[in-house]
Every structure is written in C-alpha cells, then in structure tokens.
Amino acid sequence: MKARPTVQLWDPLLRLCHLSLATVFFADYFFNEEGDDWHQWLGYYGLACVLLRLVWGFVGPMSLHRFLADAVLALVCVHVLAAIVESLRLGENLPLSMITGRRRQR
C-alpha cells in the first residue's frame, strides 16, 4: 500500500509552546500550592509562552514571508514615485539618466 503524503500543520515553535503550556498547567495544578515560588515562576513561564505564541502568530513563517513581500513591493512603489516626483521637480528625465549614466549640465 502506498503511503499518502503528509502536510505540516504546526511548526516546531508552536508545538513547543503548546507542550510547555500544557506542562506548566499540569505541574501547577497537581504539584504546586498556590503562592509557592515554583507556582509563580511557572506562571510567568506560561505567560511568556502565550505571549511568544501571540507574537509568532503575527510574524511566523508564512506571515513573515507575506510581510516581507509586501514591504518590498511598498519600497519599489516609493522608489518609482520618488523618481517621478524628482524628474518633475528637476525638469529632467531621471530614469533615462539612470540608463545612460548622463544628465544635462546645469
């Protein structure tokens, strides 16, 4: 029988955060008393896991790729707009000057 291909649903950081949070809950609920030092530190660690997961949701692998692609597109648009504005301001065809490497003397 041929094995069907698989798809990765969760990246390693997401799985680590989930496992850490489950471990923190289990340890705090069953082994520590409320107010103990361990209870407080595990609570801080759990909060850090949740915050890391929230940040990773916005800048994770797919989100980061999309953000960078959009940022590059925005920079290209700003560059083209600046070339047009400066060409109009100087009365010079700057894209042509970029191609030829020459410009009229002032």
Side-chain angles (χ1 to χ4, degrees):
M1 186 182 258
K2 198 175 201 180
R4 295 187 341 197
T6 61
V7 177
Q8 182 177 0
L9 297 177
W10 300 283
D11 58 49
L13 183 66
L14 181 66
R15 294 192 321 251
L16 179 66
C17 283
H18 185 264
L19 180 64
S20 293
L21 195 58
T23 303
V24 163
F25 173 79
F26 186 81
D28 263 351
Y29 191 79
F30 290 108
F31 298 117
N32 293 313
E33 294 292 324
E34 186 177 340
D36 287 348
D37 285 342
W38 275 103
H39 182 86
Q40 289 180 355
W41 284 109
L42 286 173
Y44 292 140
Y45 179 74
L47 178 63
C49 288
V50 169
L51 293 176
L52 177 64
R53 173 60 185 104
L54 285 172
V55 169
W56 190 248
F58 289 106
V59 297
M62 294 308 286
S63 299
L64 181 61
H65 179 266
R66 181 178 215 150
F67 171 76
L68 292 176
D70 291 344
V72 168
L73 178 61
L75 289 174
V76 167
C77 291
V78 167
H79 179 73
V80 168
L81 183 64
I84 292 169
V85 168
E86 286 299 302
S87 291
L88 293 172
R89 187 179 73 83
L90 296 173
E92 181 81 35
N93 186 347
L94 290 180
L96 180 62
S97 298
M98 290 176 203
I99 292 171
T100 62
R102 303 186 65 76
R103 185 178 126 177
R104 287 182 290 166
Q105 256 187 347
R106 294 200 172 249

